[in-house]
Amino acid sequence: MDSLVLRTAIRYLLPLLLLFSVFALLRGHNEPGGGFVGGLVASSAFALYTLAFDVQRARQLLPVTPRRLIGLGLLVAVFSGLISVLAGDPFMTARWDNRPLPVVGKLGTPLLFDVGVYLTVVGVVLTIIFALAEEE
Amino acid sequence: MTIAVLSGFGVALTAPWLQGRLPRRAGWLLILLPLALTAWFAAQLPRVAEGTTLAESVSWIPSLGIDLAFYLDGLSLTFALLISGIGAVVLLYASAYLADDPLLGRFYLYLLVFMASMLGTVLADNLITLFVFWELTSISSYLLIGFKHSYGTSRAAALQALLVTGGGGLAMLAGLVLLGQVAGTSNLSSLAASGERVRASDLYPAILGLVLVGAFAKSAQFPFHFWLPNAMEAPTPVSAYLHSATMVKAGVYLLARLSPALGGTVEWQGLVIGVGAATMVLGAYLAWQQVDLKRILAYSTISALGILVLLLGVGGALATKAALTVLVAHSLYKGALFLVAGALDHETGTRDVTQLGGLRRAMPITGAVALLAGASMAGLPPLFGFVAKEVFYKATYEAPDLPALLTALAVLSSVLTVVAAGLVALKPFFGVRAHTPRHPHEAPLRMWLGPLFLAGLSVLLGVWPALVAEYSVKPATEAVLAGPAKVELVLWPGVNPVLALSLLTLALGAGVYVFRHALLAWARRLDVGKRLGPERGYGRALDGLLRLADWQTDLLQNGYLRFYLITIVAVTVVLVGYTALAEADLSGALRAPEMRVYEGAIAVVILAATYAVTRAHSRLAAVAALGTVGYSVALLYILFGAPDLAMTQFAVETLTVFLFVLVIYRLPRFATLTSRMERWRDAVIALSAGALMTLLVLIVTADPSRAHVASFFAENSVTLAKGRNIVNVILVDFRGLDTLGEITVLAVAAAGVFALLKLRPAQARAPEARAERARTAELQAVPTAEAGADPGSGD
Amino acid sequence: MTLLLLLPLLIPFLTAVTALLAWHNRLLQRRINVVGAALHLAAALGLLVWVSREGIQAVQIGNWPAPFGITLVADLFSAIMVVMTGLMGLTVAIYSLGSIDARRESFGYYALLHTLLMGVSGAFLTGDIFNLYVWFEVMLITSFVLMALGGSQEQLEGALKYVTINLLSSALFLASVGILYSVTGTLNMADLARQIQAGDTVAPGLATVLGMMFLVAFGIKAGLFPLFFWLPASYHTPPIAITALFSGLLTKVGVYALVRIFTLIFVHDIAYTHTLLLIIAGLTMVTGVLGAVAQMEVRRLLSFHIISQIGYLLMGLGLYTALSLAGMIFFMAHVIIAKSALFLVSGVIRRQAGSYHLKEVGGLYRANPALAALFFVPAMALAGLPPLSGFWAKLALVRAGLETEDYAIVAVSLAVSLLTLFSMTKIWAEAFWKDHPQPEHPFARLAPQTRRPLLLPVVSLAALTVILGVAAEPFFALATDAAAQLLDPSAYIQAVLGGGA
Amino acid sequence: MNVSDLALYGILPALMLAILLTVARLLRGPSLPDRVVALDLLTTLGIGVIATYAIATGQAAFLDVAIATALISFLGTVAFAYYIERTV
Amino acid sequence: MNTLLLNTLLALSWIALTGTFTPANLLFGFVLGYGLLAFTQRLLPPSRYFTMVPRVIAFVLLFLAELIQANLRVAFSVLSPRLDLRPAVVAIPLSVRSDPAITLLANLITLTPGTLYLDVSEDRQVMYVHTIHVHDLEQFRQGIKNGFERRVKELLE
Amino acid sequence: MTDVITAALMIVGAFFMVMAGLGVLRMPDLFLRMSASSKASTLGSGALLLAVAVHFGSVGVTTRAVATIVFLLLTTPIAAHMLGRAGYFVGVKLVETTVIDELAGQYDLRSHRLRSKQPATAPPESDQPQV
Amino acid sequence: MEVVLAVIIGALYAAGLYMMMRRSLAKVVIGLSLLSYAANLLIFTVNGVMRGRPPLVPEGAVRPVEPFADPLPQALILTAIVIGFGVQAFALVLFKRAYQAAGTDDLDQIRSTELPKKSRKAGQAQG
Ligand code: NA
Ligand code: NA
């Protein structure tokens, strides 16, 4: 559907949505948000892009395939849990860096885990949406 | 002994291989095993005759109290000798009889497995071990009966034998387990000591009934007898071995073995004598009416088994002695006669007695064997059959209860047995030479050597019965009676009422034989076997079973998803609802609602939108209403302090609506497909399920209790987990494993959607694409199982 | 060592992710698949050895003390089930090499296979009731996809019912967990057990109601009467390797869950709950076996038998004695092995004789004697013929039933075993003994590169049913120990909650 | 009456009234775009409810939900419009 | 837009100096910075920034006024028992051409009551607008062209 | 002072929200409903979000509130445009009192392209609906 | 409020189940959605609803202000929502494909995997 208005607006909306998605991800440990919601917002940005243009354009916009993103996300998530195993603690024992950062709070493996969630969710939603849109 | 039993299995497994390597000599090699076993068991005769018993026990499954325990006394030794001796004869015979059969190797396998199992059955000292071997005889019998597997009749007969004996076996299993529990021991050899306790137990009737069902089914007692004639579909060596000499006597063995524990009661006598007598008469009555040699022999076997059972029912030293004598005699003559029948079949191409006659010149040795064995069967002196019949008559004549009736029945059945013997032993060899499908010659050496040996034994033992009395019947009788017994056997007991009965029997038998055609016409009109025969019951039961199965399956697994869901929901409502009403405290459930205006408004919205979903006439309208419900639920989450939840719900709801829209508009428009009645029914079921859930919520919320793990999270979220959003901290830290599983679910769902949309069955594609795919499949480096095959039908 | 508890989850997870990332490299995926499955089995065996030596083991994920975090816990029963999972995984992984078409392979088949193993292992190892829900979902969604993968009409229609009914079950499961948490304030199963036995936080009546909800939820997954409809509707539709895997694992997870909650948590009113279990067990056996008797299609026939055998497992649970539980565990191992072997054999039957339908096949007794043996052994094991594995399982259950004087269920179980024998001989008679209906039927020779992957698993499984039967003692002793742990959950509670519990 | 009470007992009921009116349109249709318009309005009303509730409870955290809703709900409406147009 | 950046930096510096991070203070810092920038840079070549900002502000104010006023009108008409409507879909010839301009114009038209942007023709010659109440079509067209379109053109083209 | 502003903003917001709801319910056709709802709701939610900003008075909240307002200003009209367009394609009827529909027949239903049309030189005399 | 919520939950369950019992595929999938709302709301309700007290720790504090909503059920529901989303997405596409393959969305016509065998004669199982 070629709506001039939508296509124009999406140029501004896309960075805005992605910005908010990262914001939601990073802040999730302290305020409402987190990897899942962040991932959904990010993927809805790409979904909008898909609707405004088409799947090919949306795929080009994304540097990796959604499937890779899923794999990467899962690996990041499990890796965040394995760090503690290497140190002899049970799986998923949190490790923290105690210097606080603005917005994010402290850096730690749970945050890394949430990043994995974020990536997976983006990959999943985009896989589904792209496949469905290509059906049409 | 353990080796004796297990070696059979070991050798059996090599048989097909051996037959493949040495097609000519395998039979001769394999026979060495039964010969060796026979020799070994024969070597035990003197010691056992002196009253020593051998016991061996290897621990097998101690946690179930099962040992691989074997026990050799007079009874088991008698059986063991029959099994291994006749086994050798049959194996030799079969090597010629089935010489051209490509499956001979497998035949050896089954036969040796059977032999080993049978040995195991009679030697086992543990109730469960006995059962193990017992069942193995059933299954090897199944494979042997169905040996001519291309024929439907063979397969049906094999199945019938398996179901009848296997079914009996299962009843017996329950009986044996109960017996072990009541007696406090699983050892057969020590069971006799617990006889008092067993017979006094409340469970005694059940144990007795269950064990008898197993024994009767195996030993082809009325009303289970019908499987045996049908089992004649088996190759003749099998009939000779399993279905006359050994396996069918397993039930008899069991009765004998358990009589110290179970026997002697009114129930025992009533059941065992009654069934035995009925079987004896029925078998004999049906035997002489048959035209197929093997069926004549089969029915007469049934009759003989009836005699054995009857005698064990009567009990006591005399009857037991008689039983064991008949047992040995029958095994010898019946085995020989079956083999003769096989030879006739093999040489002439028919087993129909009406088509056989005058073969004595063509097949002199076979004829001689038939004559000897037939004479033993008819009870002519000086054959062992005569000795056996004498003690049999004596036992009925002197039976403690109903001697007259028993004796009369015994005579009746013996008369008919004489006729049957005539049909088998005289008719084919004497009289007019009949035209047969094949031109007859004398059977090869391997096919007459064995039968001749058996017939010879009938003569030898008839002349010298003390031999068998001392080494076999006496120790066996003592084993059965669990005490000493005075056992003698003589060929000529002197003139007495019993001898008179024997003569009468022979005379009547000869008469009936001569006038058999006239009598046959009369008997056929009566048609007892078919009309009253339980075989009809079997057929009906099988038919009924199949019909029941079909009916049930079509009823339950009918393909209607609605029906499945309705059933599941109804079951849930009934099960949970009943339990809630019966067991739970409902007092707090009824209370007045308390709410704020805006909450009420959301409730109204949800209810209205939910109703709208169910009533929507268009798909997308339903989706819009569904979205409303979702958004309103998210609002509820906000109002009750769950911002993360609300955020997620909003986001997911929107994406879900998006997906719905993407997908659902491709589905056809909503249509009302069900009748008003069905809709009402469904509504009632759905509403009752809803009401149940409402009730549960009310019950649970009536007593608000503070969750105890929540305070831990509140306490430690900031200090230990360094996060202020406790929900998120739970998700990524306290319960991060849940989230790991959750994203796995998402990943798989995505893979699934992708595959569903992109991987279509091949037929949906254009032919060129298919050809292209086939080409690429050929080029694949990886070996492909079904390159180019349609995944829809792949295996 | 605590890593051993985690490896049965991590190995399949990493295998699956690697396979996902190697999307376009089928050869690599096939290799990873076998290696991953072998490692999984090895880890499972290691776990079993560890647990049988050292007793029940628990690890607190995230190092949060129970009952606050999620606990992974392995008692003998769990460890045995994980070993069975590994065994199924490896056999099916190998069988798939020879039977799964290239197109399925390039659409994530191996990744899915290992994800399923992960979900199932997770369900067996978790000590947390909500985490159990999560693993159930991992397993379910994977099975949904595997069921539909390929997209034939049959598969889609079967999957449709499978999915719908299982989602109903999941919703009920979820609701039950929610209520359970609201009345106890904990999700840790050991903690739940402690509380419900103490009876102070939860009214026993309410606990029973919850037990019923779980019974229905798990009963659907386990395929109990009258909740099993999804199974015969769908199990025969995917490729046989998948069917075999499902048959070996899916319903068993349902049974596992039933066993876990009805030995650990809801044992406060056995007279009510476990009697009900027995009644359902009997009905499940009978309806399942009658369904099988009515079938002429091998996969459908075997599918109905799954239901019937679930009835036996439930009987073991319902009788609730040391012997019956040991019998149930032994039965579980037996039926997983034997049933999967039969499914895998039926795949070879189809390949050689051209169909799964008994009317359309035959002649294999002569054409492929080895296959005949490979069918006959597990078939007779399934029918409970001694001395194969099924017999000891049946014997233990029968004996336990007679000991507790539950004669009706014993009678039913024996009758059903006769009918099982009947339907096994039906396959035997039709597919093997009977001549092939087309006299000229060419019995396709298995290509050398498919023969090994097809036959190796079948031979191994058939051999296992024999070993499990003839050398039953070590296995039965293990089952007895496992049953003892189930019957007296104090060690479990102690291992999870620590000394203070 | 403080701001919080005003929000709870004045503003929220008013917003709920708006929601009810909107839902009435949603259920009545008649055309699909009509329903979608109502649904879209509903999300905006929801944002208003969230904002008001944040004031009523003094919890600024609720505002994050409002943002996320605003960002995402747009997708839903666009998707509806997109596919309504494609049904022709 | 570098000037905007500079202005923002000035506002943030103000905050840092005063140590109170409130919206009001930020706004004050921004206004102050704007004044300072306008003052300090008046000798440099004229920057669009200083002509733009007042325009934007004027534009926003106009928009807000329109928004509220027209919203009230709609409220009035919605509340009146009889809906007195003369709706129309009107084609308006366009003189703005750029995508952002058309988009901004479209949004403005929709957000001001009484009018609703529907679509723009492919050749960007004509914009179709729905209006609730029209008396004179030509007057309506001119109203849009002279109002929002002119200002959008000034702002963006 | 902030409370008064907050209260005022909330009341204004709520008022327009109710107007939006009323409008969407009462207006006789799709375009009129959109017309009524899109602006009233934007104004209403804008006022409420501003109320939040004023009430909490922190930069974080204000930023987020303003960002939300901006986003709504940006997206609500686009949504209306998309829906209106879709309405045209599925043939949603305009109310009978509609004076003129210059868009009628301009869409190419196949290619979904919109033609331009020179405006009529004179306003129509009749009140006949043109759809 | 629990009473009202309980009624809502019941209604959602009833409507969801009712929809699942329809013959139309599309209705079944909508029913599944309703069912998951119901389950989530049930967990939420039975664990004690508390107005406007999210389980968030204020900045600078170490624990949330009492009383606060139990965070655990919220986390559980969140997980359930996400899982439900994935499953729902798959189910939706599956239903669409099943519809395409079967050529109908009438479930009474979608029975090819288990049609009753009317043609089968009894008793021919063996032989
Ligand atoms: Na979680
Ligand atoms: Na299964």
Side-chain angles (χ1 to χ4, degrees), chain B residues 416-461:
Chain B
L416 296 173
T417 302
V418 170
V419 180
L423 284 173
V424 180
L426 298 178
K427 174 75 179 51
F429 298 98
F430 298 94
V432 188
R433 171 75 187 267
H435 181 74
T436 54
R438 225 174 282 159
H439 188 70
H441 296 284
E442 182 54 88
L445 166 76
R446 283 178 288 171
M447 283 177 63
W448 58 254
L449 192 61
L452 186 63
F453 171 71
L454 294 178
L457 271 180
S458 285
V459 179
L460 173 73
L461 297 183

Side-chain angles (χ1 to χ4, degrees), chain B residues 466-486:
Chain B
L467 188 70
V468 72
E470 187 186 342
Y471 287 109
S472 165
V473 176
K474 178 170 181 292
T477 307
E478 288 176 337
V480 174
L481 297 175
K486 188 170 163 300

Side-chain angles (χ1 to χ4, degrees), chain C residues 231 235 246-252 306:
Chain C
L231 197 157
Y235 259 31
F246 285 6
S247 130
L249 297 179
L250 294 191
T251 49
K252 308 307 176 289
I306 295 174

